[in-house]
Amino acid sequence: MVFSGGGCHHVALGVELCMRPSWDTFWTDDSLIEAMLAPLAPSAVQRQFLQGLTPVDAPAIGLELSSRGLRRRPHMAAWLLSGRLQRWSALLQPLVRADGTFASGLTVEDLQPFIQSQDLFDRETWLEYTQPLRRQGGQPFLLFRHTRRPLRLDELRQQLESLYGRLGSRLQQRLPLPSDAWWQSLQQIPQAGADQLGIDLDPLQGGWRFLFGVTDPQALLAALGFEPPLGAGLEAFPLALALDSRQVVANRYCLEVFPRYRQDHTIIGYPGEIPADVDQWPAWTPHPALIPPTRLKALMQASVHVPSVAYGSQQLALRGGLSHQKLVVEEGQLVDHKAYLGVMVTAAKTTQAASVAVPERARGSSPVDHAIQWLSQATDGWFGFALSPGRSDQWVPLACLALLAQWRDEPQLMEAYARQRDALEPLLQAPQPVGYSRVTPADLDSSIWLRRCLLSLQRPSSASLDRFLASGWSRDVGISTYSDPQPIAAFIQRQPVEMAAWCAPHDCVLINWAADPSMPKSGAALQHLRDRLNEGRFRSYWWPLDGLIFSLMPRGSLPRGVVKACLQQSLSPAVERALPPLHAERCQAFNRALLLIRHGTVAEQQQGDAVMATLIRRPEDFRDLLVMQLPQPDQLDPDADVHWLWKGRMEGSLAPDPEGYLAAALFLATQVRSK
């Protein structure tokens, strides 16, 4: 029943321990949350528990209504970020028994192998109570975690057996492994891999829970025998398949049905308020097991959309509504219908930490491992490129720090991240406009990366930096790379009048600003970006392909048509003539892979993963993947038929990045799951 956020870019809030307002700050008697959840009639204990959580601990909460239980209290769920046993004990204290036990004798320590497993799962855990709550009643509950990538059946079985082996004897008795017959029953069921794995701690009916992605709904429905009239038109909606280890699929399965907009957008990435109307959902044929139509319609129309609300010293955004419906089928008959409504924190800063999808892999063998290894071994810093002023010791390392903020707790990266942060500490302590390097004039793109880095590290900006950023921003025109031609003209020994192109608005700089919702005026930047895209005028000035820049945008923020068009983009004839064939092939493949992984469908994301696996076989393969184009300062059209100089160090050149750290950071930053 988890609130499937769709690339849940939850907020890892950096709020002082003494300033942690709880959900009751937002869930008041006259709030949109109350209007949405009150009709589900949560009990006083449910309200108190959910409202007592903080967005720091639980950035998403919700309730689930069941047609079987229309006269009973709803189920309750919360998305918990912490993996620390002490924090779990504190959070569950109101609901466990006085001696700290629950579910007939279990303790939080029994859960350690599941909630602290980092090799198989993303960081977060969903907690779900399906039984009526009593204060200190010790009722059993369910836990769900997202797998780091969809797992094939053979991978799932292997990982499940490994996890089972790490459980204590009490949990092993509660959670027997699925039978051979259970695995065999899945062989003929079309599915796209396991997205979630859960445990049901009920002492009498404990078992494993699974959620499988679906890329061919029509084939799945046919294999399940879920036919019209109830299944009519269902293949047009995003689906997932939920299974229980205690029942083979022929005996029991659940179909999770998502709204239409989830085909092209995530909950987080949808522009504006997410749709809350009946057209987003199937028009069910009447059936006694379904939630009554009038009541279901009201649930479909429930919505929470709060673009900005104060939370301590920060401004957050809230978004919620009907996340998904669930059809429960037993022995081929529909027996229950569930609807889950939830609300989540969706903004404050873009950490994306909750959504990092590290592909499951043999240690050291995948592109993710290679990226981590390449970045971690950089003892002298995450520098980049080799232009006439030398390596970039400001622009590239600042971009890496911002892009990797959600990875800074990764054990293999912690030391390198801290080392690079410490090297830039004087700049972080006293922010000022920055450029490509310490010897070059300040530019807007580098300074935006500094501002984004400060936001990700929860550091304050400065008046001088903010003034400089404002100097290059024009709401009606865009954002230039250089707002003042004089300093850069003097640096490259040109006349200021020759700097028209470098001082013109650049879409690749605009997208850097628009990509981070916590940036000042990010909404206006995003709207201007959309206008450029709608008018067909977008073009990346400093990069030969748009896929690289589009990968900076949150998943779901680009129209599907833009993604499709970008996938068809090729190098300009002038660039293609200058690039050696192998470099051209690798540059195009890397851009395509980033775009597919960030903005593609589930199937396309798998294609992107396959491309990356081909490109990156060793850590050093990130070298020379990025190619920057440096037009002449008066060349407004970077696609013009000009003569590019390969591996040049100044204007008029195509410059590869021999370091590869920025490419590795860009790749890791795309590791955000789609559902």
Side-chain angles (χ1 to χ4, degrees):
M1 104 173 194
V2 298
F3 188 33
S4 187
C8 298
H9 307 166
H10 79 272
V11 181
L13 299 170
V15 182
E16 296 83 356
L17 291 177
C18 60
M19 293 181 60
R20 284 188 168 183
S22 57
W23 271 101
D24 60 8
T25 303
F26 312 128
W27 186 355
T28 59
D29 291 343
D30 58 352
S31 66
L32 291 173
I33 301 177
E34 173 69 11
M36 180 179 72
L37 297 182
L40 277 65
S43 68
V45 176
Q46 287 177 323
R47 280 179 176 269
Q48 290 166 7
F49 180 76
L50 292 178
Q51 290 177 326
L53 297 172
T54 75
V56 177
D57 294 313
I61 57 174
L63 300 172
E64 183 178 73
L65 180 70
S66 166
S67 65
R68 274 180 168 175
L70 288 178
R71 293 181 176 85
R72 296 196 294 268
R73 299 298 185 184
H75 297 175
M76 176 186 79
W79 194 25
L80 303 181
L81 300 186
S82 178
R84 293 167 49 235
L85 298 184
Q86 185 178 9
R87 192 70 196 130
W88 272 76
S89 296
L91 291 172
L92 294 178
Q93 190 276 329
L95 302 180
V96 300
R97 296 187 183 277
D99 62 359
T101 64
F102 52 86
S104 298
L106 295 180
T107 66
V108 168
E109 286 71 23
D110 292 315
L111 306 179
Q112 181 175 2
F114 186 79
I115 63 177
Q116 291 190 344
S117 174
Q118 300 301 318
D119 57 338
L120 177 58
F121 300 116
D122 288 346
R123 174 185 171 197
E124 305 75 20
T125 303
W126 276 100
L127 166 71
E128 177 184 347
Y129 277 92
T130 61
Q131 297 187 13
L133 284 186
R134 300 186 307 276
R135 182 168 294 279
Q136 293 194 324
Q139 288 88 352
F141 48 80
L142 291 82
L143 300 176
F144 291 90
R145 296 189 70 183
H146 278 285
T147 57
R148 289 192 160 197
R149 71 166 173 87
L151 299 178
R152 301 189 312 269
L153 287 181
D154 58 335
E155 296 174 310
L156 175 63
R157 188 168 189 174
Q158 179 183 5
Q159 293 295 332
L160 187 63
E161 290 173 352
S162 175
L163 176 60
Y164 177 83
R166 300 197 296 269
L167 300 179
S169 58
R170 282 193 293 187
L171 266 192
Q172 286 185 342
Q173 293 173 4
R174 295 276 184 98
L175 305 172
L177 289 169
S179 65
D180 290 340
W182 188 90
W183 291 108
Q184 187 62 35
S185 71
L186 281 179
Q187 294 298 323
Q188 304 304 317
I189 301 298
Q191 43 80 22
D195 282 330
Q196 293 180 31
L197 178 60
I199 54 176
D200 185 343
L201 300 176
D202 190 297
L204 301 178
Q205 302 180 33
W208 299 88
R209 299 292 186 92
F210 307 87
L211 186 72
F212 293 90
V214 175
T215 55
D216 190 343
Q218 189 169 7
L220 174 69
L221 295 171
L224 294 174
F226 197 85
E227 300 174 349
L230 193 60
L234 199 56
E235 69 277 1
F237 294 84
L239 302 178
L241 176 66
L243 298 177
D244 185 326
S245 64
R246 296 168 298 192
Q247 300 279 349
V248 297
V249 65
N251 292 344
R252 190 181 193 276
Y253 66 86
C254 301
L255 281 176
E256 294 197 359
V257 185
F258 299 88
R260 290 183 189 274
Y261 79 85
R262 291 288 300 278
Q263 292 172 331
D264 298 314
H265 299 278
T266 63
I267 292 177
I268 306 301
Y270 191 86
E273 185 172 0
I274 59 176
D277 56 70
V278 296
D279 293 337
Q280 290 291 318
W281 300 96
W284 301 115
T285 301
H287 191 285
L290 292 173
I291 296 172
T294 302
R295 187 158 193 187
L296 182 61
K297 181 179 179 180
L299 301 180
M300 293 174 178
Q301 295 174 333
S303 177
V304 172
H305 181 66
V306 184
S308 181
V309 62
Y311 183 78
S313 61
Q314 299 185 14
Q315 291 293 314
L316 306 185
L318 305 176
R319 175 169 288 193
L322 179 58
S323 167
H324 60 274
Q325 301 179 50
K326 183 185 292 185
L327 303 173
V328 182
V329 179
E330 296 179 354
E331 306 291 344
Q333 300 297 315
L334 180 67
V335 298
D336 198 5
H337 180 206
K338 301 180 180 182
Y340 178 79
L341 288 92
V343 60
M344 65 194 313
V345 174
T346 61
K349 64 188 183 73
T350 307
T351 68
Q352 299 178 342
S355 311
V356 173
V358 183
E360 180 60 33
R361 70 271 187 188
R363 176 58 60 186
S365 64
S366 79
V368 170
D369 290 310
H370 294 323
I372 292 173
Q373 185 178 345
W374 189 240
L375 289 158
S376 64
Q377 57 82 45
T379 56
D380 62 341
W382 292 333
F383 302 142
F385 295 94
L387 305 183
S388 57
R391 295 186 299 177
S392 171
D393 58 7
Q394 287 189 332
W395 164 55
V396 168
L398 285 169
C400 288
L401 284 178
L403 290 167
L404 296 171
Q406 75 271 21
W407 287 85
R408 62 181 181 264
D409 294 329
E410 171 73 21
Q412 290 179 272
L413 267 183
M414 289 177 66
E415 183 177 347
Y417 191 96
R419 189 165 55 240
Q420 183 61 80
R421 183 191 59 215
D422 292 345
L424 292 172
E425 189 61 31
L427 184 59
L428 299 175
Q429 288 282 1
Q432 57 186 338
V434 294
Y436 169 86
S437 72
R438 287 175 170 84
V439 301
T440 61
D443 67 76
L444 267 295
D445 193 53
S446 301
S447 298
I448 291 171
W449 279 117
L450 171 57
R451 189 69 166 86
R452 291 185 62 179
C453 187
L454 293 169
L455 287 165
S456 67
L457 297 175
Q458 299 170 15
R459 303 286 191 92
S461 184
S462 68
S464 63
L465 176 60
D466 290 345
R467 280 196 302 270
F468 181 77
L469 293 175
S471 71
W473 164 262
S474 173
R475 181 165 184 167
D476 298 326
V477 178
I479 305 174
S480 59
T481 300
Y482 296 99
S483 55
D484 182 355
Q486 295 282 353
I488 187 60
F491 184 80
I492 65 172
Q493 299 180 353
R494 297 285 191 97
Q495 294 298 316
V497 294
E498 299 179 75
M499 308 306 300
W502 285 13
C503 294
H506 296 146
D507 290 334
C508 48
V509 182
L510 171 69
I511 213 168
N512 189 15
W513 193 309
D516 191 336
S518 58
M519 282 286 290
K521 301 182 180 178
S522 63
L526 180 59
Q527 185 57 56
H528 188 64
L529 171 63
R530 288 174 176 155
D531 292 342
R532 297 279 296 174
L533 292 170
N534 291 335
E535 295 163 3
R537 295 189 294 136
F538 182 94
R539 62 182 177 184
S540 180
Y541 188 78
W542 299 107
W543 306 97
L545 294 168
D546 295 338
L548 177 78
I549 297 302
F550 283 154
S551 75
L552 295 177
M553 294 298 292
R555 178 170 174 80
S557 59
L558 296 179
R560 179 63 181 167
V562 170
V563 176
K564 288 182 176 179
C566 189
L567 289 172
Q568 301 300 317
Q569 188 184 26
S570 59
L571 297 169
S572 70
V575 170
E576 195 165 18
R577 283 196 303 269
L579 273 178
L582 180 60
H583 284 280
E585 180 182 346
R586 288 176 60 78
C587 174
Q588 292 182 95
F590 185 60
N591 275 263
R592 180 178 177 82
L594 290 182
L595 186 70
L596 288 171
I597 294 170
R598 175 70 90 184
H599 296 292
T601 63
V602 173
E604 288 172 342
Q605 287 179 315
Q606 294 171 349
Q607 295 174 23
D609 289 336
V611 172
M612 286 302 303
T614 301
L615 277 176
I616 308 298
R617 299 181 182 274
R618 306 167 303 167
E620 56 267 32
D621 286 342
F622 284 99
R623 286 174 165 168
D624 294 329
L625 274 183
L626 293 184
V627 176
M628 183 166 53
Q629 61 185 18
L630 304 170
Q632 294 290 343
D634 58 354
Q635 182 185 336
L636 288 168
D637 183 5
D639 294 332
D641 192 13
V642 299
H643 179 71
W644 292 103
L645 175 64
W646 171 239
K647 286 194 174 181
R649 295 167 58 86
M650 53 194 299
E651 54 270 24
S653 301
L654 296 175
D657 179 12
E659 305 286 345
Y661 303 124
L662 181 57
L666 285 163
F667 168 59
L668 287 181
T670 65
Q671 297 299 292
V672 180
R673 80 166 40 254
S674 61
K675 183 175 72 177

